[in-house]
Amino acid sequence: GESVGLHLPTLSVQEGDNSIINCAYSNSASDYFIWYKQESGKGPQFIIDIRSNMDKRQGQRVTVLLNKTVKHLSLQIAATQPGDSAVYFCAENDRDSSYKLIFGSGTRLLVRP
Amino acid sequence: DAGVIQSPRHEVTEMGQEVTLRCKPISGHNSLFWYRQTMMRGLELLIYFNNNVPIDDSGMPEDRFSAKMPNASFSTLKIQPSEPRDSAVYFCASSFFKPGDTQYFGPGTRLTVL
């Protein structure tokens, strides 16, 4: 699954290094954010989420950071593995229509062995 | 849990034919979403159901597209007649209805209209 346009931002990292994927969101009223991972030929898979009353949340090898001041979200992956190669999407919840997720354009992560 | 189930996984058809995509949401979820993903436009929300009722179909491209949810465990997205520009991957997702609930996606149906 590809994302918007012919050019998808790509991050290339060495196996074992840490990865940081960034996302800028647009709606200051958004109060819930999700990171999805999409591998080739598969649907987006939930990784981690964060609500606007937090600025950091940790999962297994992943950390999400939220900076509401500059409307910025990041996903940190520790000790990146070949299986982490995928397209990563951030999504924000539109509070005005609480069911609707607004997806970012995606970043492709390539892990070099 | 089997997750969201979609069928078929791949569909190749000729322009003008009717196409029906199917989705079984996660048991217990009361919200269902149909998305379309293309290279140029990314993920687009087509329609959203809550408790089997269509709530927002503003993303449906045109009258050729229709969606139904006859019960809590089944939904269809139909394109009639299909056109080459409908070629895309169509995803179904489900969630509990509560503000900001996570949506869980199915594997998608890759549609090619020749």
Side-chain angles (χ1 to χ4, degrees), chain A residues 19-21 35 47-48 62-64 73-77 88:
Chain A
S19 303
I20 300 176
I21 301 171
W35 279 101
I47 302 174
I48 192 167
V62 294
T63 300
V64 56
L73 194 67
S74 69
L75 176 71
Q76 299 178 1
I77 305 174
Y88 289 81

Side-chain angles (χ1 to χ4, degrees), chain B residues 28-81:
Chain B
H29 282 182
N30 59 0
S31 295
L32 184 139
F33 309 79
W34 282 101
Y35 288 87
R36 178 171 66 177
Q37 186 177 45
T38 60
M39 282 280 289
M40 294 306 297
R41 301 171 70 92
L43 267 167
E44 302 174 275
L45 177 65
L46 300 178
I47 188 169
Y48 158 64
F49 290 88
N50 179 244
N51 291 325
N52 313 338
V53 175
I55 303 298
D56 181 358
D57 65 354
S58 59
M60 295 287 262
E62 48 198 273
D63 291 346
R64 297 184 298 105
F65 285 68
S66 63
K68 293 182 180 179
M69 192 165 185
N71 58 63
S73 59
F74 183 66
S75 176
T76 59
L77 178 68
K78 185 178 292 187
I79 308 172
Q80 166 65 19

Side-chain angles (χ1 to χ4, degrees), chain A residues 23-33 50-52 66-73 90-104:
Chain A
C23 177
Y25 64 93
S26 55
N27 188 353
S28 56
S30 293
D31 60 352
Y32 178 62
F33 305 87
I50 189 168
R51 298 199 181 270
S52 59
L66 175 62
N67 185 330
K68 295 181 286 294
T69 303
V70 294
K71 291 188 286 187
H72 184 267
L73 194 67
C90 65
E92 61 184 295
N93 179 227
D94 179 353
R95 187 184 291 173
D96 291 334
S97 51
S98 59
Y99 56 85
K100 189 174 287 188
L101 289 179
I102 310 298
F103 284 86

